[in-house]
Amino acid sequence: MANHPAADLKFDNRLRSTLDPQSPRVKTNREAALSLMATLQAEEGTIRLGGGAKAAETQHAKGRLTVRERLNLLLDEGTELFELGLWAAYGMYAEFGGAPCAGVVTGLGRVSGRLCMIVANDATVKAGAFFPMTAKKVLRAQTVAMENRIPTLYLVDSAGVFLPLQEDVFPDTDDFGRIFRNNAVMSSLGIPQITAIMGMCVAGGAYLPVMTDTVLMTEGSGLFLAGPSLVQAAIGQKTDPEELGGAAMHAEISGTVDFKEPNDHLCLARLRSLVEKIGERSAPEVFRRRAFDPERDAPRFAAEDVYGLLSPAPGASNVYDMREVIARIADRSEFDEYKEEFGRTVLCGYAWIGGHAVGIVANQKTNQTDKVAVGPAAGATRIEVGGVIYTEGAQKAARFIMDCNQNLVPLIFLHDVNGFMVGKDAEWSGIIRAGAKMVSAVSTSVVPKIAVIIGGSFGAGHYAMCGKAYDPRFLFAWPTARYAVMSGASAAATLAEVRARQMERNGKVLSEAERKAIEDEIRADYDAQADPRYGAARLWIDAIIDPAKTREVLIAALEACALNPETPRFNPGVLQT
C-alpha cells in the first residue's frame, strides 16, 4: 500500500481565492460599496431616532423611557439587538408624517443569557399606534419565534390601531387580530411569552398582554378595552384612567397583572429576573454541530474583501466567482462541493458555519463553457451565462436539497440569479420540468432555510432559490441586492415598447428621443422598486446587512434555528422526472 499513488495525496477541501484586492475593478467596487454602506448607515441612524427628540422629551415627561433606552436596560451588558425589520415602512405613510421602523422595534437579543425575540412599541411614533406595516412586522417577529421556538418578550406602549388606516389594519388574516391568535398558538407550542406594559395598552391591543403567560405593568400605565372618553360615549359612565385600568386596579382588583412595578427601570429588572428562570425543554439536537473556536475556525480570507466583488450600480453586469463569498463565510474556508463538474451555474456543497453543519445552494456568476447535450446543436460548445439556472443546474440543486433534508442539514441560499434559461435548446432539454423539480424540493423542504440576496434575485429564479414565499426562516440582503420580477433594463425595454405602441395607435408619432425618455422614466421607477430598501420597507427582507458581516449574521440565524429540533418527515411529493 505504501507505493499506491493515492498514498501521497492529502485530502484538502479548502477553497482558494484569486481575488486581487488591489485590482482596479475591485478597488472601484469597494469604494462604491463603502459609499453605499455609509449612506445606508446614516439612514438607519435616522430611523432609530423614531419620532425624534421632541417626542422623546414628551415620553420622558411622562416618567417613561424611550424604546431604545428600555432595550439598553433589558439586554445583557455588552450585547446588541440583532434587529429585524428596521427598514419597515421606510418611505411609506408620508401623508401622516411617516412611521419610522413602523413604530415598533423587533429583533433577537440576549436577556439573562437566553436568546429571546423582543417586540417593543415605540411610543415616540404616533403614540405607538399600529399602522398596517406595524401589524405585519409584529406578525413576522412572531413567525420567526414560532418557527424557531424562541421565548418572546413584549414591551407594550401603544395607543392601539391607527384609526385613519383601520381598514388595512383590522380585518385580514395577516392583520392586527392575527397577533392575538399567534399568542395563543405560541403558548400551545410551549414558547414562553412575557409582556411588560410600560405605557398605554388600549382597545383590541389590550388582549396581547393578557394572551401571554406573564404580565408586568408599571404604575402610570393603562390597560383597558376602552379609554375613559370612549366609555363615557358608549355607556355614559365617567371615570379616570387609573380607576378604569391603572396598574393598582389590575394588580389589586381585577387580578389581570402578575407584577406591578413602580417604573420602567424596576420593571425591566423584574423582567430580566423572570427570564433567567425560564427552563429549556429537553430535546436532542438534530442538526449537526461541532466544537467551534472563533480563531481556529475563522475563514482563511478577510471578510472585507467581499466589498470589491460587486458593483452596486443598478444594472451593473457583475461577473465573479461565488466561491469567493463562500470562502469568507465557511469555517476554515472549507467546502465540499457537490457535483462540481455538472450544472456549473449553480454551486452546491457542504460546509460548517460557526460550528453548524450547512448545505449551501448558490448562483455562480462566472460564465461557464459546456457541451450541448440535446437538440439541433448537440455536441457543440455553448457558453452558460453566470447567474442563469440551466436544466442541469436545476436538477443538481433539486437533488442536493433533497439530500440535505434526508440528512437533516440546514440550507443556506446565496442569491444572484437572473432566472431560468429560455429558448429552444432550453425547452428541448426540459427546463420547465427541471425548474419545477427544484421549486418543489424547496417548497417541501423541512430543514431550516436561510436566504441571502447578494446581487440580483429576479423572477422564477427568486422562487427556486427560496424566496420569501418559500418560508425561509430568515431572509437577508446585501445593499447590492436587486429584487424584482426582472431587471430594470429588461422591464424598461419591454414596458416602453408597450407604451409606445399604445401612443402610436392613438396617432402620436414618437421620436427616438421621446422613446428613450419613456424608457429612462420606467427604468428609474423600476430600479427604485428593486432597491433592497423598498423590499425591506415592506418586510420582504428581514434585514439589509453589511456584506462583511454575512458570516456573523448567518451564525446568529443558525443559532436561532437550532432552538427548534422538531423536524417533520420529509415528503417531497410527486416530482417531474
Side-chain angles (χ1 to χ4, degrees):
M1 290 296 293
N3 295 324
H4 194 281
D8 295 329
L9 299 179
K10 182 179 180 182
F11 176 71
D12 186 359
N13 61 350
R14 295 175 301 172
L15 291 169
R16 273 66 177 169
S17 176
T18 59
L19 182 67
D20 178 6
Q22 300 306 315
S23 74
R25 180 185 66 84
V26 170
K27 291 172 75 172
T28 298
N29 287 348
R30 178 185 177 86
E31 290 171 5
L34 290 175
S35 176
L36 179 57
M37 280 298 305
T39 299
L40 265 66
Q41 288 167 354
E43 289 182 293
E44 288 177 348
T46 300
I47 291 170
R48 289 190 174 95
L49 295 176
K54 187 174 181 180
E57 290 173 9
T58 301
Q59 185 78 346
H60 290 154
K62 296 175 182 176
R64 300 172 188 161
L65 299 174
T66 64
V67 64
R68 295 190 184 275
E69 289 170 340
R70 289 168 175 167
L71 292 173
N72 286 338
L73 291 174
L74 177 64
L75 297 171
D76 290 352
E77 188 174 353
T79 68
E80 295 181 353
L81 185 71
F82 177 23
E83 194 161 349
L84 303 174
L86 172 66
W87 291 85
Y90 174 77
M92 301 172 70
Y93 311 124
E95 66 274 32
F96 302 107
C101 217
V104 62
V105 179
T106 62
L108 298 171
R110 290 273 172 197
V111 179
S112 298
R114 288 295 297 272
L115 184 66
C116 297
M117 174 61 74
I118 299 168
V119 178
N121 298 117
D122 185 349
T124 70
V125 179
K126 302 295 187 294
F130 273 69
F131 286 75
M133 292 309 302
T134 314
K136 288 174 173 54
K137 183 171 175 178
V138 174
L139 290 172
R140 176 60 183 157
Q142 289 182 320
T143 298
V144 172
M146 281 191 282
E147 289 178 337
N148 301 293
R149 302 295 192 266
I150 306 172
T152 303
L153 312 178
Y154 303 89
L155 307 185
V156 176
D157 192 349
S158 171
V161 169
F162 186 67
L163 292 178
L165 295 175
Q166 65 84 26
E167 75 276 14
D168 295 320
V169 182
F170 171 69
D172 213 342
T173 53
D174 59 348
D175 286 339
F176 194 51
R178 189 77 170 185
I179 294 170
F180 318 133
R181 174 265 186 196
N182 284 354
N183 289 140
V185 171
M186 291 168 71
S187 185
S188 74
L189 293 172
I191 301 170
Q193 298 174 90
I194 305 176
T195 299
I197 302 170
M198 311 178 80
M200 289 298 104
C201 189
V202 185
Y207 283 109
L208 185 150
V210 186
M211 295 289 289
T212 63
D213 307 334
T214 306
V215 184
L216 294 73
M217 188 172 182
T218 59
E219 294 176 5
S221 295
L223 170 64
F224 22 66
L225 288 179
S229 299
L230 186 54
V231 167
Q232 184 173 356
I235 64 174
Q237 185 181 74
K238 291 185 178 181
T239 181
D240 66 67
E242 280 296 318
E243 182 183 17
L244 181 64
M249 190 284 289
H250 281 302
E252 301 168 19
I253 299 175
S254 77
T256 301
V257 304
D258 304 307
F259 297 90
K260 182 185 74 170
E261 305 299 340
N263 54 42
D264 284 7
H265 290 79
L266 294 177
C267 184
L268 293 166
R270 176 80 70 182
L271 181 53
R272 286 181 52 81
S273 179
L274 295 173
V275 171
E276 190 176 17
K277 298 171 181 67
I278 293 175
E280 296 193 51
R281 297 185 179 276
S282 57
E285 283 192 289
V286 299
F287 307 119
R288 185 71 173 166
R289 298 179 74 173
R290 70 179 184 184
F292 171 66
D293 183 288
E295 293 186 10
R296 180 196 65 203
D297 296 321
R300 300 170 59 224
F301 310 102
E304 293 75 14
D305 290 346
V306 297
Y307 291 135
L309 281 176
L310 287 78
S311 166
S317 179
N318 287 303
V319 177
Y320 62 95
D321 189 342
M322 185 64 84
R323 295 183 188 89
E324 298 285 3
V325 177
I326 298 171
R328 288 160 178 82
I329 62 174
D331 292 358
R332 308 181 197 176
S333 301
E334 294 173 347
F335 184 57
D336 296 308
E337 188 164 346
Y338 178 86
K339 294 183 185 289
E340 181 177 354
E341 303 300 324
F342 182 72
R344 289 181 292 172
T345 62
V346 180
L347 296 177
C348 299
Y350 299 98
W352 299 93
I353 298 180
H356 300 264
V358 299
I360 297 174
V361 179
N363 304 113
Q364 176 59 294
K365 288 295 290 182
T366 57
N367 297 330
Q368 305 292 319
T369 302
D370 210 344
K371 295 288 186 182
V372 178
V374 298
T381 299
R382 73 173 178 186
I383 301 295
E384 292 187 338
V385 179
V388 175
I389 301 175
Y390 292 78
T391 299
E392 297 88 346
Q395 291 172 338
K396 176 172 78 172
R399 172 61 187 274
F400 179 74
I401 290 165
M402 290 191 284
D403 283 357
C404 286
N405 277 271
Q406 181 75 1
N407 297 318
L408 295 175
V409 180
L411 284 157
I412 307 291
F413 293 83
L414 303 178
H415 294 221
D416 197 345
V417 59
N418 298 333
F420 287 93
M421 188 57 188
V422 297
K424 185 165 67 175
D425 288 345
E427 298 294 356
W428 282 36
S429 71
I431 185 65
I432 298 175
R433 187 176 69 249
K437 190 184 301 183
M438 183 176 176
V439 170
S440 181
V442 171
S443 302
T444 57
S445 177
V446 296
V447 296
K449 297 171 291 191
I450 302 169
V452 183
I453 303 176
I454 288 174
S457 190
F458 299 119
H462 171 75
Y463 300 154
M465 291 296 293
C466 194
K468 185 65 182 293
Y470 292 81
D471 301 320
R473 298 278 184 98
F474 298 92
L475 194 155
F476 307 114
W478 285 13
T480 48
R482 291 290 177 268
Y483 191 174
V485 171
M486 64 179 74
S487 69
S490 299
T494 302
L495 295 175
E497 182 63 24
V498 171
R499 188 185 296 182
R501 287 180 181 177
Q502 289 173 338
M503 296 173 74
E504 288 170 350
R505 279 197 296 268
N506 293 327
K508 181 174 176 58
V509 179
L510 294 176
S511 67
E512 283 302 314
E514 288 172 321
R515 283 175 173 270
K516 185 177 185 305
I518 292 172
E519 189 170 329
D520 289 346
E521 177 190 347
I522 293 172
R523 182 187 288 110
D525 289 343
Y526 213 85
D527 284 341
Q529 292 179 14
D531 189 291
R533 286 167 286 195
Y534 187 93
R538 289 151 183 81
L539 296 175
W540 305 338
I541 295 166
D542 290 315
I544 301 173
I545 64 173
D546 183 339
K549 295 183 178 179
T550 304
R551 174 176 162 83
E552 297 173 34
V553 168
L554 289 175
I555 291 172
L558 287 164
E559 183 180 357
C561 292
L563 294 176
N564 181 11
E566 297 179 15
T567 306
R569 177 177 174 270
F570 178 51
N571 182 15
V574 176
L575 293 175
Q576 291 287 343
T577 58

